[in-house]
Amino acid sequence: MSLPRIAVDAMGGDEGVRVMVEGAALARRRHDRFKFLLVGDEKRIAAALDTHPGMRGASEILHCEDVVGGDEKPTQALRRARTTSMGLTVNAVKKGDAGAAVSAGNTGALMAMSKLALRTLPGIDRPALAALMPTLGDNDVIMLDLGANTEADARNLVQFAIMGAAYSRIVNGLAEPRVRLLNIGTEETKGTDALRIAAAQLQAATGLALSFDGFVESDKINRGEVDVVVTDGFSGNIALKAIEGTARFVTDLLRSAFTSSLRSKIGFLVSRPATELLRHHLDPNNHNGAVFLGLNGVVVKSHGSASAAGVANAVAVAARLLEDELTHRISTDLAALGEARLRASHSGGEAK
């Protein structure tokens, strides 16, 4: 089966062209059906391709020297969307020259450009940023929103739940992902009005391919007890940074403990298989590839500091979402929610 080619912003990220091209090449070695539109400085991309000859026949270069700065405001970046590598990468999806876009550049700018160029799906008010995080269970947990929307009302949270469940069915292969709203407690009376209203609407909805059972607290996010965690972008970004910081703290603490004495160093050698497994499990490159859900197209955000392996993972995420028609799944679930609300309205049982 052939896939639409993937547009890659080769200039984005901390290391730019070298890592982005190497990551795309690694992804293609794993999946030789991948084809690319590499957007950026033609000379630099061509030089990078010289070290990956297998990419030559699978890639086209779209020349562009202008780059969105890491600290550039989204409003400023939008004005240069037609001249920057990020803007042209997203525009390739809009024009149909590519099926998906991957960038490791400025997150706010990428969201702004993507929303303006691709627009949201019918029935979606705001796109949300979703990412995978490791758990103690068999599958990663999906969390959204992680920063695209600092505020979210009940309607937004319900839409985020539907989009997150559709994403989980694709990446984790779950028929009915377990969806929960992030809250300060699991009791029905806890939280804001928006959270309680969203919970009531999700509880009352029928025909959705998800399992909803109320709230989850932040200490349970990575326990493997939930598949999709839904929240606003403000709380979600804080929770994400806290989880990432704790993971770094644990690995640094172990490193310090294992090098504190000769006995500790011997202990490290004995426990090395376990510590290597832990390191692999917590490595963000193995979970790289956040997705802007709710757009008329697939846009994947790679972490700016991602390695080539991390970029390859982001490319694979984009291809998977294309292959499994993410936007179609979200639209289908939104239609089911609309029908459920219509039935509830006719019976007088819709949650307000």
Side-chain angles (χ1 to χ4, degrees):
M1 174 185 175
S2 62
L3 281 171
R5 63 181 178 176
I6 298 169
V8 176
D9 174 12
M11 308 293 280
D14 294 351
E15 295 192 52
V17 173
R18 183 190 68 79
V19 167
M20 297 306 291
V21 172
E22 184 178 346
L26 178 58
R28 179 164 170 77
R29 286 200 293 274
R30 295 172 180 169
H31 307 278
D32 59 9
R33 297 174 295 117
F34 292 178
K35 297 184 182 301
F36 301 98
L37 175 66
L38 303 175
V39 186
D41 185 281
E42 185 170 14
K43 290 184 178 179
R44 293 171 62 188
I45 293 174
L49 287 175
D50 285 341
T51 60
H52 305 286
M55 283 281 287
R56 282 289 184 182
S59 304
E60 178 183 344
I61 301 173
L62 177 60
H63 177 66
C64 175
E65 297 180 6
D66 199 4
V67 182
V68 174
D71 58 353
E72 191 168 341
K73 293 182 179 179
T75 51
Q76 295 175 323
L78 275 177
R79 290 195 285 270
R80 302 191 301 116
R82 296 183 179 181
T83 64
T84 57
S85 60
M86 180 186 289
L88 292 176
T89 300
V90 174
N91 195 53
V93 178
K94 177 184 178 181
K95 292 168 58 180
D97 293 335
V102 176
S103 176
N106 183 314
T107 303
L110 183 61
M111 170 56 86
M113 289 182 180
S114 300
K115 186 174 180 180
L116 182 64
L118 302 176
R119 305 295 181 182
T120 55
L121 290 167
I124 296 294
D125 298 324
R126 301 177 182 180
L129 182 61
L132 290 164
M133 292 187 290
T135 73
L136 293 176
D138 295 331
N139 299 305
D140 290 337
V141 61
I142 291 169
M143 190 167 176
L144 72 162
D145 179 25
L146 295 177
N149 308 280
T150 55
E151 296 181 353
D153 59 21
R155 178 183 172 90
N156 300 143
L157 293 172
V158 170
Q159 293 171 2
F160 295 170
I162 289 173
M163 294 190 296
Y167 184 28
S168 181
R169 294 203 304 277
I170 290 174
V171 296
N172 289 328
L174 302 172
E176 292 189 351
R178 298 165 295 174
V179 178
R180 306 290 184 271
L181 296 170
L182 184 64
N183 203 345
I184 58 174
T186 57
E187 299 89 344
E188 292 183 359
T189 57
K190 290 288 183 71
T192 63
D193 289 343
L195 281 168
R196 292 194 299 271
I197 293 171
Q201 292 179 350
L202 287 167
Q203 199 76 59
T206 58
L208 298 180
L210 59 86
S211 170
F212 179 77
D213 190 26
F215 304 126
V216 63
E217 295 180 87
S218 56
D219 63 333
K220 298 294 193 300
I221 291 175
N222 302 100
R223 301 297 300 177
E225 300 171 6
V226 59
D227 302 309
V228 180
V229 174
V230 177
T231 186
D232 62 83
F234 184 81
S235 301
N237 193 268
I238 290 175
L240 174 65
K241 297 293 174 56
I243 291 170
E244 290 178 339
T246 301
R248 285 193 295 270
F249 169 73
V250 170
T251 53
D252 290 346
L253 189 64
L254 286 173
R255 185 181 299 111
S256 176
F258 279 131
T259 56
S260 61
S261 66
L262 178 60
R263 179 178 294 181
S264 297
K265 291 177 181 178
I266 295 173
F268 169 72
L269 293 175
V270 174
S271 61
R272 189 167 185 174
T275 54
E276 283 297 306
L277 180 62
L278 175 65
R279 185 189 63 81
H280 176 80
H281 199 56
L282 296 179
D283 186 350
N285 284 296
N286 297 324
H287 306 275
N288 187 46
V291 182
F292 292 138
L293 297 177
L295 297 171
N296 279 298
V298 174
V299 178
V300 175
K301 170 66 174 71
S302 171
H303 198 287
S305 61
S307 65
V311 173
N313 194 69
V315 168
V317 168
R320 181 80 179 273
L321 298 182
L322 283 175
E323 203 166 30
D324 290 303
E325 300 181 321
L326 172 68
T327 55
H328 174 72
R329 292 194 183 210
I330 292 174
S331 296
T332 299
D333 286 357
L334 284 170
L337 178 65
E339 292 172 1
R341 283 179 171 170
L342 183 61
R343 289 193 299 270
S345 178
H346 287 164
S347 63
E350 183 179 19
K352 301 297 184 184

